[in-house]
Amino acid sequence: MLLPALSQAAPGAGDAPKEIRIGFQKSSVNLTLLKHRQALEQQLKGVKVSWFEFTAGPQMLEALSVGSIDFATTGEPPPIFAQSAGSNLVYVGAEPAKPGVSAILVKPESTIRTLADLKGKKIAFQKGSSAHYHVLRAVQQAGLQWTDITPVYLAPADARAAFERGSVDVWAIWDPYWAAIEQNTQVRVVATGKGLVNNLSHYLSSRSFADRYPKVIQLLFEELTRSDTFVQKNRDEAVAIIAASTGLDKPTIASFLERRPRSPVVYLTQNIIDEQQRVADNFYQKKLIPKVVNVRDAVWLPPAARQQ
């Protein structure tokens, strides 16, 4: 669903909260540019905009679930795990698929050459993250069972350390962490997400925030899409801004953005919902989440769309 046209005026005093708390991570390109551009601060006069960085999606959605932030973006699995745990979050929007921005990595000398070679190996990844689903799909593609591998649940920085010292055989990770290790460590890619996972990015909020401030959600999406346009048209400047924000070097960010497709933000479509439901069903069927998740129960749409 395309974004409905914004009115010329920004949301009025009654249409916006006193503060908007936004969660982001190093992979959140559009949010990083939005933070730098200060477009929300300029349009929402008198509204405090606070920004909180997280290492990965599961940690971010935990904060969203307890009310510490109002708006966040993650890959596909984190909201599924959150919903299965009873969180009251809602999907409010999404970016297109990015299958090429994640990878299953080994060291150059590794004997692992194919996905079938993952059998019996220790694989590090963030539990409940996009990497979790990437590994699940890789195992399935190889004709293996989940029990054929040893998952090692670690946050990105700890997973990289374990991978570099040889405590695990494989690291499943997304950009820009993948791009970062490529800059100073020799790694070999066993598989990217292409042909395995879609890697959609989802935007999430609490249901109460979205219901109360739909014009703010709409404004966020407009400005996030403008941020993406900026990335596409001003690549060198975008690289510099994101590098400064993340603390990563420019070659790392340039490599990341080269793999990242154009990413405007839209409200959820039926195709996006169906794809997310397939991910949720796969996790449940493999007993990786405790109960069936109905994605549609957590989908929020703007008032105008509900009347269609």
Side-chain angles (χ1 to χ4, degrees):
M1 179 185 300
L2 296 177
L3 294 173
L6 267 176
S7 62
Q8 292 299 313
D15 298 323
K18 293 181 179 179
E19 181 181 15
I20 301 173
R21 302 162 299 172
I22 300 175
F24 68 105
Q25 49 187 314
K26 292 187 187 301
S27 59
S28 306
V29 171
N30 287 344
L31 280 173
T32 298
L33 266 293
L34 179 58
K35 180 176 184 287
H36 175 82
R37 292 170 50 233
Q38 296 190 315
L40 292 182
E41 290 85 343
Q42 293 167 16
Q43 296 200 50
L44 299 174
K45 300 297 185 183
V47 176
K48 181 181 180 182
V49 183
S50 301
W51 299 85
F52 300 91
E53 184 175 346
F54 294 84
T55 57
Q59 294 89 328
M60 193 185 313
L61 294 194
E62 183 177 347
L64 180 61
S65 296
V66 300
S68 297
I69 58 174
D70 305 303
F71 185 81
T73 181
T74 75
E76 295 154 319
I80 290 169
F81 276 73
Q83 193 178 354
S84 73
S87 173
N88 194 36
L89 58 76
V90 289
Y91 298 85
V92 294
E95 293 177 8
K98 305 177 184 69
V101 301
S102 65
I104 295 174
L105 304 175
V106 296
K107 293 184 176 179
E109 67 275 14
S110 172
T111 58
I112 299 170
R113 296 286 172 181
T114 68
L115 294 179
D117 295 332
L118 296 175
K119 185 173 183 178
K121 300 299 189 289
K122 293 181 179 179
I123 307 176
F125 55 88
Q126 168 75 57
K127 184 177 183 179
S129 71
S130 59
H132 196 159
Y133 193 58
H134 194 170
V135 173
L136 173 58
R137 289 291 299 120
V139 166
Q140 292 173 326
Q141 185 76 10
L144 303 175
Q145 300 299 314
W146 188 250
T147 51
D148 287 329
I149 66 164
T150 301
V152 180
Y153 299 129
L154 294 171
D158 294 331
R160 174 171 175 168
F163 176 71
E164 290 185 318
R165 68 172 176 263
S167 299
V168 297
D169 306 296
V170 182
W171 184 24
I173 193 58
W174 58 90
D175 272 327
Y177 299 106
W178 169 22
I181 195 171
E182 284 183 313
Q183 295 303 314
N184 52 30
T185 303
Q186 287 193 326
V187 295
R188 180 160 48 80
V189 176
V190 178
T192 68
K194 294 178 180 179
L196 292 174
V197 292
N198 284 327
N199 285 338
L200 276 80
S201 296
H202 288 284
Y203 287 91
L204 302 116
S205 183
S206 68
R207 188 177 296 277
S208 60
F209 185 92
D211 281 343
R212 188 170 181 182
Y213 305 115
K215 290 185 179 180
V216 172
I217 299 294
Q218 187 175 338
L219 176 62
L220 276 160
F221 289 178
E222 282 273 332
E223 292 300 337
L224 287 164
T225 298
R226 289 191 181 105
S227 289
D228 182 66
T229 299
F230 181 92
V231 173
Q232 306 308 322
K233 294 184 176 180
N234 306 278
R235 183 56 57 90
D236 290 346
E237 188 176 355
V239 166
I241 291 168
I242 297 168
S245 174
T246 60
L248 298 170
D249 59 37
K250 290 181 181 180
T252 292
I253 300 303
S255 177
F256 167 28
L257 294 184
E258 185 66 27
R259 290 193 279 251
R260 174 185 178 271
R262 184 172 175 271
S263 300
V265 183
V266 298
Y267 293 113
L268 267 68
T269 64
Q270 188 59 51
N271 285 341
I272 293 173
I273 296 169
D274 290 345
E275 172 58 24
Q276 186 70 348
Q277 188 63 57
R278 283 190 286 270
V279 177
D281 291 346
N282 203 347
F283 273 117
Y284 176 71
Q285 289 161 6
K286 298 304 177 183
K287 297 182 170 57
L288 297 175
I289 55 175
K291 65 179 183 181
V292 173
V293 164
N294 186 347
V295 171
R296 180 168 286 282
D297 289 345
V299 172
W300 178 91
L301 290 172
R306 299 173 203 168
Q307 298 168 8
Q308 296 177 1

